Every structure is written in C-alpha cells, then in structure tokens.
Amino acid sequence: MPLERVTRIDNIDRVRKAYIMWEGIPVAELYHEFSSLSGEFDWVIKPIWANWGICVKKGWVAGIGGIDETLHLDEYIRRYNPYFVTQRTMPEGRPEIPQLLEDLHLNYYDLFEVLCRTHGICGNDDLYVSRTPDKYIDVDQLRIPYEIPNFDTDSYGWLNKKMQALIKHEE
C-alpha cells in the first residue's frame, strides 16, 4: 500500500473517537480525523491489544476488517474509508439514505455519525461500535435501537488550540 495512504493528514483540527467492541469489551479505538484547511480526513484504528487477547481467549475469532493484526501495530492509519467502516454503513448513493438520515436525526451523510448511531452492526461478525467503552449491545437482537446523542454532533470533535499544538508536537 502506498505510504501516503497510511500516514496521517496534516493540520488536523477535528478528532472524533469511538470504540470497536466485542461483547462489551473494547478491542480497539476508532478515530476520524479531519482538516478543515484541506478538507482531507483519515481514520485511525488503535487496537487495545490486552483486551484483544482477553477476547480471543473468550472465543472471539479475532479480526477487524481492513487491518492486518499480525503486524501488531499500535495504530493503523487510512486516508480513505477503511473496510471496517464501509462494510457497516450504507453506500451514499442508495435510495434509502434520506430515510436513514431522518431516522438518525442527521442533516447530511456523516459516515462517522452513521456508524456510531447505528452501532455499525454487520452480519460478518459480532463487532459493534460505541462512543463509550462500557456499552454492551446484543448484536443478535432482531432490531437494535439507534443511539441518537443528546449533544450537537456538528461541533463534536473540534479541537481547541492547545489540543492542536499537542497533536502537532506528537508528530
């Protein structure tokens, strides 16, 4: 894979975070990073290796779509929508999108918000997405309720100057 597709974007000023969960245990952190300067984004998947091992011992057939966990990296960066995300969200051109957005109380197709509000449930595995690491979702339920947050998600994740300087310093 070309290096530019697996490195962070520049000038990140928005970071939104969720968790990839298995049976109530967070197996990875999931970040959506955005630069308002360039309009670019990236996704970062940070496995929580200690929890990963616990889940495997409990019977999880380990794997997050689109990452090679055998590399055992601290983070997997993608400057495109990773397979884990696209397999759990409806493609933008589908005729059902307007109804989905209405059901999710969204004004536009925000992939991160769609993923969080639907919990990213998928028939391929028992993983799901949660904004908090303590949320248990029974993925075998016939109908899982949407999670509509009680805060303004349009302003969620925008970083103040201090946080931007911290991110810049870490690079």
Side-chain angles (χ1 to χ4, degrees), residues 17-37:
K17 177 181 180 181
Y19 294 87
I20 299 173
M21 309 283 292
W22 182 79
E23 292 192 0
I25 302 170
V27 294
E29 296 173 342
L30 178 67
Y31 296 88
H32 182 260
E33 301 175 332
F34 179 77
S35 168
S36 60
L37 186 63

Side-chain angles (χ1 to χ4, degrees), residues 147-160:
E147 186 171 314
I148 312 300
N150 60 359
F151 58 88
D152 175 15
T153 58
D154 287 339
S155 61
Y156 168 62
W158 291 103
L159 304 176
N160 61 32

Side-chain angles (χ1 to χ4, degrees), residues 74-89:
D74 290 335
E75 60 184 22
Y76 297 81
I77 301 166
R78 302 292 185 259
R79 282 194 181 192
Y80 53 88
N81 295 323
Y83 182 67
F84 177 82
V85 174
T86 60
Q87 80 180 149
R88 294 162 191 287
T89 52

Side-chain angles (χ1 to χ4, degrees), residues 4-50:
E4 68 272 3
R5 296 189 67 184
V6 293
T7 57
R8 274 209 164 76
I9 60 170
D10 294 323
N11 305 305
I12 297 167
D13 54 12
R14 182 176 183 169
V15 178
R16 298 182 290 174
K17 177 181 180 181
Y19 294 87
I20 299 173
M21 309 283 292
W22 182 79
E23 292 192 0
I25 302 170
V27 294
E29 296 173 342
L30 178 67
Y31 296 88
H32 182 260
E33 301 175 332
F34 179 77
S35 168
S36 60
L37 186 63
S38 66
E40 294 178 298
F41 68 90
D42 64 41
W43 291 84
V44 180
I45 298 172
K46 291 184 177 185
I48 303 169
W49 293 115

Side-chain angles (χ1 to χ4, degrees), residues 100-119:
L100 177 66
L101 295 179
E102 185 179 320
D103 293 347
L104 295 176
H105 302 228
L106 288 171
N107 296 322
Y108 63 95
Y109 194 74
D110 178 338
L111 206 55
F112 181 85
E113 280 302 314
V114 170
L115 188 67
C116 287
R117 293 177 188 207
T118 62
H119 299 292

